[in-house]
Amino acid sequence: MSSEITLFVNPAAGRGRGAHAAQPAARALRQAGFSVRVVLGADAGDALRRAREAVDGGTGALVAVGGDGMVSLALQAVAGTRTPLGVIAVGTGNDFARALDLPVRDPAAAGRLAAEALAAGRTRNIDLGRVGERWFGTVLASGFDSRVNDRGNRTRRPGGRFTYELAMIAELASFRPIAYRMTLDDGTEREIEATLVAVGNGTSYGGGMRICAEAVMDDGLFDVTVVGDCSRSTLLRVFPRVYRGTHLSHPVVTAHRAAKVTLAAAGTTGYADGEPLGPLPLTAECVPGAAVVLAPEARGASRAS
């Protein structure tokens, strides 16, 4: 493995935390004996191009500094390669880091973990979702939650979980159930009326909303959560349970597991890792072992060969 590590930095993440977070992360890596190269970008496309150049050039690891949007960009660069991905999670949501039990908004701790994992060769192979040529690590959202994302992305304040909650309240006023066509693996297409359908490789979105609470990132399958046709009052009762993951036992919620999911619904956008994918229909496939991540010392981590 190369001793040069690439820090892939979003300076604007977490309202400026990204710029400051790069410093303790770089310090921890250098103290462990690695050389550090910092990669920025004029925009998302330029940043991704530079990240791919680093991976193609044999960097020892790509360490994303920022939020889930930066991790999503990094995944596009490392997916299908053996280049490890590290995460310094300092964004507003940080759901990818949460799913892997990585430090959140503690760049010094995250930097030390990345350095220790690199020094020990401690990595974990994880699955990724793929829609066309786009990879995702956490959840593909559609329906009520994607409409909330639409609204939240137009809102500057207050940020994070509170932005999501305020957008949700606003969307409740006009929301109607959505007519979906859903196909799991290569089975029969199902017609359902649903509030939302979430396809989870990871457990959460929206800054800790455990919509697919039982998802495992290395089992080769998605967890698919369907919140059925329900009233606004029922949705408001179910909503607080999502943060604990206890909503899965509610009668209006059903859960499925599949390696491939096709969703179709008129006027509905799909989001993955909090980023827009485009309008449905979309087909998501779970690709086993598509990425290698720097792992904490915990069950499920494996030694790199």
Side-chain angles (χ1 to χ4, degrees):
M1 181 185 72
S2 169
S3 63
E4 181 182 86
I5 306 304
T6 302
L7 280 185
F8 188 40
V9 182
N10 178 5
R15 297 186 182 179
R17 284 191 295 267
H20 298 291
Q23 298 171 13
R27 187 179 309 116
L29 289 163
R30 290 186 176 114
Q31 288 174 347
F34 296 99
S35 60
V36 177
R37 176 190 174 205
V38 177
V39 167
L40 303 171
D43 52 34
D46 182 54
L48 178 55
R49 179 183 61 79
R50 293 170 183 266
R52 283 176 167 156
E53 287 176 351
V55 171
D56 291 344
T59 187
L62 185 68
V63 179
V65 183
D68 286 322
M70 200 61 175
V71 172
S72 179
L73 271 182
L75 288 175
Q76 313 313 308
V78 301
T81 77
R82 302 308 296 167
T83 301
L85 172 67
V87 178
I88 311 299
V90 292
T92 54
N94 305 310
D95 289 293
F96 187 85
R98 295 174 198 275
L100 293 171
D101 295 323
L102 298 173
V104 171
R105 295 183 187 169
D106 188 343
R112 288 193 300 271
L113 186 151
E116 291 165 3
L118 281 164
R122 192 173 66 239
T123 62
R124 177 182 174 186
N125 296 329
I126 64 166
D127 309 333
L128 295 178
R130 183 172 62 194
V131 178
E133 296 183 355
R134 179 83 168 270
W135 299 90
F136 68 93
T138 55
V139 177
L140 190 164
S142 72
F144 178 74
D145 46 6
S146 65
R147 293 180 184 180
V148 170
N149 264 325
D150 287 338
R151 182 179 290 271
N153 287 341
R154 298 192 298 267
T155 304
R156 295 288 182 182
R157 296 178 181 277
R161 169 173 167 176
F162 298 106
T163 292
Y164 192 96
E165 292 177 351
L166 290 172
M168 187 203 76
I169 293 168
E171 282 297 315
L172 276 172
S174 59
F175 183 78
R176 297 292 183 274
I178 295 169
Y180 278 94
R181 300 190 309 279
M182 180 176 74
T183 305
L184 302 179
D185 293 322
D186 294 317
T188 302
E189 182 179 82
R190 314 177 189 194
E191 294 186 357
I192 58 174
E193 293 282 327
T195 299
L196 65 88
V197 180
V199 180
N201 182 57
T203 54
S204 68
Y205 60 11
M209 297 179 66
R210 294 172 55 81
I211 189 68
C212 298
E214 297 179 357
V216 177
M217 296 185 84
D218 57 5
D219 64 353
L221 295 170
F222 292 127
D223 279 32
V224 183
T225 300
V226 178
V227 178
D229 184 357
C230 63
S231 66
R232 294 185 184 92
S233 60
T234 298
L235 187 57
L236 283 170
R237 287 196 298 272
V238 172
F239 172 73
R241 297 173 59 170
V242 174
Y243 287 102
R244 301 187 301 275
T246 58
H247 63 291
L248 294 175
S249 63
H250 194 281
V252 79
V253 179
T254 58
H256 313 270
R257 305 185 81 213
K260 182 169 74 171
V261 182
T262 299
L263 299 174
T268 302
T269 302
Y271 278 76
D273 292 341
E275 302 295 317
L277 286 175
L280 273 55
L282 294 171
T283 297
E285 297 182 77
C286 184
V287 182
V292 180
V293 295
L294 299 177
E297 191 78 70
R299 187 174 62 183
S302 61
R303 295 282 174 177
S305 58

